[in-house]
Amino acid sequence: MKRAHYDISDRVPSPQMQDGPDHMIDTSNGATRGVSKRLPKVSKKIQACTECQRRKIKCDLKEGGETICSRCRKRGFQCVVNKNLQSILEDDGEWKARMEYTSGQLRTAVSEILSNLALPALETFSSIVQDRSSQKSYSVSRQEDLHSGLRASARSQEQERRTSQSATMAMTRENSQERPGFEEAGNDILIAAPMGSLYEVTKLRNLRSNPHGYFKQSTAAPLEDKDFISSGEIGLDEAEEMFQIFERSLNQYLWGGIVLLHKDLLSVRRSSSLLLAAILTVTALHIPGKTSTFDVCYAEFLDLVSASMMDRYHTLDGIRGLCIGAFWLSDVSWKLSGHAVRIATELNLHRSYARAIKGSQEHFEGARLWYLLYVCDHHFSIAYGRPPVIQDDASIVQHEKFLQLPGATQADFRLHSQVAIFIILTQIYNAFGPEVEAKLEESDLGRLRQWNIEIDRWRVRWEPQLAPNTHISSYPSKGVNLHYHFAKLQLNSLSLRGFEQLSSQNISAGRREHANLAISCAMSILQLVIDEPDIRDALIGVPLYLHTMITYAAVFLLKVQQQWKAARLGADSVLIRESVEHIITIFSKEGASERHLSYHIARGLRRMLGRMSREGLADLNPQERAALEYVGQSSGTNGIQDVNVGQDFGANYVSLPLYGDSPEMFDENFFPIGFFDVTNAGPWQWQPGTM
């Protein structure tokens, strides 16, 4: 029997070459234009159908160009010709050529789309495709290794995309009209923002905010395949545990969970990597023994925040992630709150209130998030003594109308109680200015009385409105009392602003009244923390602002007692020291990560108290000295000598940007007190590093 053989020197023309020049293939990924690949040629070709072959008779199938031979037609057989090796090779070559041509077309089209959208080049996206048909042949361990490799590859691709953004200005024009409801001010509006006119003329998309970013979620590859959980930096079980802790504890202190709408970790991962990193970072900060986990999450969070600075497309969950970071991460709180407000204005959240009031349900969440941003912004503008970014326009002044909308919950009432008190504090800031050395005239004291009445009305208005919470008990209503005393402390301490020396002769009765009221409010803040279990238990989870007000109250009392004894104000030195010692003990026992702010507060207050005790000892009379020694003995210290400053929680992680790594315990990043710190201008100034 004659055996078939291959002649590799012969070439079989490609079907595209045979059909003419119109079918010549342009392969952009390596194939030569118009030249088909070499295919082996088989000497023997099958010409007969299977029935004729089986009977070994001549088949006339190919002679007349028919699709069925005469014998099969007569006998009613099915005329089938088996494919030989040559026909299989020809079909395979034709299919490959056609796929190369189609792949080249798709590559060109996708590259053009990415260029028009000012997105990274196609090469920066993952090109690993797993053949599903081959998965069955892998063992379970092999599949896990392969999936791990794919996730790591996607993760590295995402990190490369963040760091390889084009530095070229993207002068890209819009190619189509926006769908109704998202267009910017244009031809039909006469009075619009000037930038709208510039965009109308040039059609450069980067001149305006992204109209699709409001409620749009990303349609790219699933985010959960590119986050730091999928890459193995944080274990899935550990992430699940931390998410549950955040959802039932920390999240409740942000006004009843108003900042987190997702019910499970997977939903968060699919929505926003920034929100995911913020939740895990903040949660790790509040769990003992999670320092290494916190460092990983914090580095990832900062990486995502940095990448978001130049991103054009944002989501509401991304803004929520920035807010979560701002409320708890003191190192970056001011920067995060400002960044979140800027993104929110790009998404037109400042206009959501007006549309929600008119009945637009899709803008309800936008308006709610805008009020959250207002509180976040004022937490730090008031504390740092800086002007707020969000101004008190109609949506803020008339904020209680929002509570009348369908869908408003107890969480909204808690949030708007904060909006209301910060409206008052902002008015005080605007009335008296940020200069800590500017004295208030006697005529200004009458205005302080009016503001005191406004703060009293605020407590009467909101305290009965806030119901207990399942997770945090009666903290919402008791938190109103805490904010009430802090607002009164901020207001009435202004009566002492700018004075370097005070005596009983140069202080008026009106100024003394307000100074004593400030002292009384500061003591009330410390006593609430000491005596109220709901407040004391909340210290581990509340945002940074609460720690700020407690610390400010303690520092204010210590400085008033040290600095203005001659004025004979209503400050009891023994009671002040006893209260501050209790606060130090409470903060020292907080069950959190060693990077938590509470440990820095305890250590700093302990040092300040020790120094003031040594400096003020000579001025005490025998009765005061004996009382001070008794307080020290009851608290486990000698009452006079400086006490152990505790464990040093600093660590040397050179390769990572670390949170709370400053050696300055009274740096403004930890105690951000500016405008209301009236004692800054006094003759005695405590300096970091002198203890």
Side-chain angles (χ1 to χ4, degrees):
M1 181 176 177
K2 186 177 180 181
R3 301 181 61 180
H5 67 278
Y6 299 102
D7 184 1
I8 61 174
S9 62
D10 296 333
R11 289 188 302 171
V12 177
S14 156
Q16 286 74 15
M17 293 292 291
Q18 294 174 355
D19 292 341
D22 293 339
H23 294 81
M24 294 174 66
I25 299 172
D26 180 13
T27 56
S28 59
N29 56 351
T32 306
R33 182 185 301 270
V35 178
S36 62
K37 297 181 179 179
R38 290 177 177 268
L39 296 175
K41 182 178 180 180
V42 180
S43 60
K44 182 178 180 180
K45 295 185 180 181
I46 298 175
Q47 302 291 341
C49 66
T50 55
E51 288 295 329
C52 293
Q53 275 187 326
R54 187 165 59 87
R55 287 167 177 78
K56 297 183 179 181
I57 61 177
K58 184 178 180 181
C59 181
D60 59 357
L61 177 62
K62 299 295 184 180
E63 294 179 358
E66 299 290 340
T67 58
I68 182 171
C69 68
S70 58
R71 184 174 183 278
C72 291
R73 185 182 295 109
K74 289 178 183 180
R75 298 179 180 271
F77 294 150
Q78 186 177 5
C79 191
V80 178
V81 179
N82 287 334
K83 287 189 175 182
N84 62 355
L85 179 59
Q86 180 63 37
S87 59
I88 292 174
L89 291 174
E90 290 178 355
D91 292 344
D92 182 65
E94 181 180 357
W95 178 84
K96 288 182 178 178
R98 189 179 299 112
M99 289 303 298
E100 288 175 352
Y101 180 67
T102 303
S103 175
Q105 286 182 313
L106 291 175
R107 185 181 184 84
T108 303
V110 171
S111 298
E112 183 67 20
I113 292 172
L114 294 176
S115 176
N116 289 337
L117 295 178
L119 294 176
L122 182 60
E123 289 75 13
T124 62
F125 292 87
S126 176
S127 61
I128 297 178
V129 180
Q130 184 168 351
D131 185 7
R132 294 184 178 180
S133 63
S134 63
Q135 288 183 0
K136 298 180 181 179
S137 62
Y138 289 124
S139 63
V140 175
S141 60
R142 174 59 179 164
Q143 289 185 12
E144 292 177 353
D145 292 342
L146 185 56
H147 285 301
S148 177
L150 289 172
R151 290 192 297 266
S153 175
R155 170 82 170 154
S156 62
Q157 295 280 357
E158 178 67 13
Q159 290 179 338
E160 182 181 354
R161 184 191 69 80
R162 293 179 198 162
T163 58
S164 63
Q165 296 287 349
S166 175
T168 305
M169 184 180 295
M171 306 298 288
T172 311
R173 291 174 57 86
E174 295 286 6
N175 295 322
S176 61
Q177 296 295 324
E178 305 298 346
R179 63 186 178 92
F182 285 91
E183 59 266 49
E184 298 290 324
N187 297 331
D188 297 333
I189 300 178
L190 179 61
I191 305 300
M195 191 60 73
S197 299
L198 183 59
Y199 166 76
E200 183 181 349
V201 172
T202 63
K203 294 298 182 182
L204 294 175
R205 71 164 51 90
N206 285 344
L207 290 179
R208 62 171 184 170
S209 59
N210 171 31
H212 296 298
Y214 199 119
F215 300 105
K216 175 186 175 182
Q217 299 295 335
S218 174
T219 58
L223 291 177
E224 66 267 24
D225 290 342
K226 300 185 291 185
D227 59 31
F228 65 136
I229 296 177
S230 65
S231 64
E233 297 176 57
I234 296 294
L236 181 59
D237 292 340
E238 184 180 21
E240 288 280 6
E241 178 188 3
M242 289 195 293
F243 175 81
Q244 293 299 326
I245 293 174
F246 180 87
E247 200 278 331
R248 66 175 180 263
S249 177
L250 299 174
N251 191 33
Q252 303 304 318
Y253 289 112
L254 288 185
W255 307 285
I258 203 169
V259 75
L260 180 63
L261 306 182
H262 302 276
K263 298 302 181 183
D264 55 73
L265 179 65
L266 181 59
S267 177
V268 174
R269 294 178 65 189
R270 289 175 174 173
S271 175
S272 171
S273 297
L274 184 58
L275 177 61
L276 171 68
I279 290 173
L280 298 186
T281 301
V282 168
T283 307
L285 181 64
H286 291 81
I287 302 177
K290 291 285 187 182
T291 303
S292 59
T293 301
F294 173 81
D295 289 338
V296 172
C297 296
Y298 186 66
E300 172 69 9
F301 178 68
L302 292 187
D303 189 21
L304 290 169
V305 171
S306 299
S308 71
M309 291 294 296
M310 295 302 171
D311 278 349
R312 174 170 168 76
Y313 299 95
H314 303 279
T315 63
L316 299 188
D317 274 343
I319 298 176
R320 294 185 180 103
L322 292 172
C323 289
I324 290 173
F327 280 122
W328 276 292
L329 302 177
S330 60
D331 276 12
V332 291
S333 57
W334 176 257
K335 299 177 180 65
L336 292 178
S337 64
H339 184 39
V341 172
R342 181 187 64 80
I343 293 176
T345 55
E346 288 184 5
L347 300 184
N348 289 323
L349 294 191
H350 57 293
R351 296 164 57 182
S352 296
Y353 166 81
R355 299 175 183 179
I357 291 297
K358 293 178 181 178
S360 175
Q361 190 61 32
E362 72 170 345
H363 288 90
F364 182 86
E365 279 300 328
R368 172 184 278 172
L369 185 53
W370 184 248
Y371 288 121
L372 178 70
L373 286 165
Y374 178 85
V375 173
C376 182
D377 177 32
H378 284 68
H379 266 203
F380 304 107
S381 65
I382 293 295
Y384 279 109
R386 299 166 183 169
V389 180
I390 301 179
Q391 301 301 313
D392 293 356
D393 59 5
S395 66
I396 301 300
V397 176
Q398 303 173 11
H399 67 99
E400 292 192 40
K401 290 184 178 180
F402 180 83
L403 299 176
Q404 302 171 9
L405 295 177
T409 64
Q410 180 65 209
D412 292 294
F413 277 85
R414 288 179 59 188
L415 178 63
H416 282 255
S417 68
Q418 291 274 285
V419 174
I421 191 62
F422 281 117
I423 290 175
I424 297 174
L425 293 178
T426 301
Q427 291 171 349
I428 296 172
Y429 176 89
N430 293 333
F432 299 112
E435 183 52 57
V436 296
E437 296 182 356
K439 296 181 182 179
L440 266 64
E441 302 297 334
E442 293 295 326
S443 59
D444 293 328
L445 299 180
R447 301 168 71 185
L448 296 185
R449 298 186 185 95
Q450 295 176 359
W451 293 121
N452 275 308
I453 294 174
E454 287 296 319
I455 296 174
D456 290 335
R457 290 173 178 170
W458 173 81
R459 182 169 71 167
V460 173
R461 165 73 177 86
W462 291 102
E463 188 176 11
Q465 296 281 345
L466 306 186
N469 182 279
T470 305
H471 300 279
I472 56 177
S473 189
S474 60
Y475 170 79
S477 59
K478 292 179 180 178
V480 170
N481 269 328
L482 202 58
H483 283 279
Y484 165 79
H485 289 298
F486 188 49
K488 286 251 181 175
L489 169 60
Q490 291 175 320
L491 173 65
N492 291 282
S493 63
L494 291 173
S495 60
L496 301 176
R497 192 175 73 174
F499 283 91
E500 294 186 0
Q501 296 291 339
L502 279 178
S503 64
S504 57
Q505 288 77 27
N506 66 356
I507 182 172
S508 65
R511 196 177 297 274
R512 179 185 298 275
E513 176 187 355
H514 289 289
N516 286 330
L517 184 55
I519 294 172
S520 174
C521 289
M523 286 299 304
S524 297
I525 291 173
L526 301 189
Q527 289 302 317
L528 275 173
V529 176
I530 295 169
D531 298 335
E532 287 289 347
D534 291 333
I535 298 293
R536 191 168 60 250
D537 295 341
L539 290 182
I540 191 59
V542 293
L544 173 66
Y545 186 71
L546 185 65
H547 295 92
T548 303
M549 68 172 72
I550 296 171
T551 306
Y552 177 70
V555 173
F556 176 82
L557 290 172
L558 291 174
K559 287 188 176 182
V560 165
Q561 172 60 24
Q562 179 77 10
Q563 197 165 318
W564 287 313
K565 289 182 180 179
R568 299 181 182 276
L569 300 175
D572 186 332
S573 59
V574 176
L575 182 59
I576 289 174
R577 180 181 177 88
E578 183 180 17
S579 299
V580 174
E581 285 282 4
H582 278 299
I583 294 298
I584 292 173
T585 303
I586 291 172
F587 277 125
S588 299
K589 293 181 179 179
E590 289 301 314
S593 166
E594 61 188 27
R595 298 196 185 282
H596 195 273
L597 185 64
S598 59
Y599 298 115
H600 295 283
I601 295 174
R603 182 167 59 179
L605 287 178
R606 184 179 288 116
R607 287 179 172 178
M608 176 179 276
L609 187 61
R611 168 164 179 162
M612 288 185 170
S613 297
R614 292 193 301 270
E615 291 187 353
L617 184 61
D619 298 331
L620 296 179
N621 57 46
Q623 292 80 11
E624 291 176 327
R625 182 186 179 93
L628 185 60
E629 290 176 347
Y630 173 78
V631 170
Q633 293 171 2
S634 64
S635 62
T637 67
N638 60 14
I640 300 172
Q641 301 298 323
D642 197 0
V643 293
N644 181 21
V645 299
Q647 180 182 358
D648 186 0
F649 296 116
N652 183 20
Y653 297 90
V654 178
S655 60
L656 291 175
L658 293 183
Y659 167 90
D661 219 23
S662 171
E664 308 279 296
M665 289 300 102
F666 278 87
D667 185 271
E668 66 173 5
N669 286 328
F670 294 103
F671 299 154
I673 303 162
F675 165 56
F676 292 107
D677 191 1
V678 300
T679 57
N680 275 344
W684 183 87
Q685 291 291 315
W686 182 85
Q687 297 295 332
T690 59
M691 297 185 180

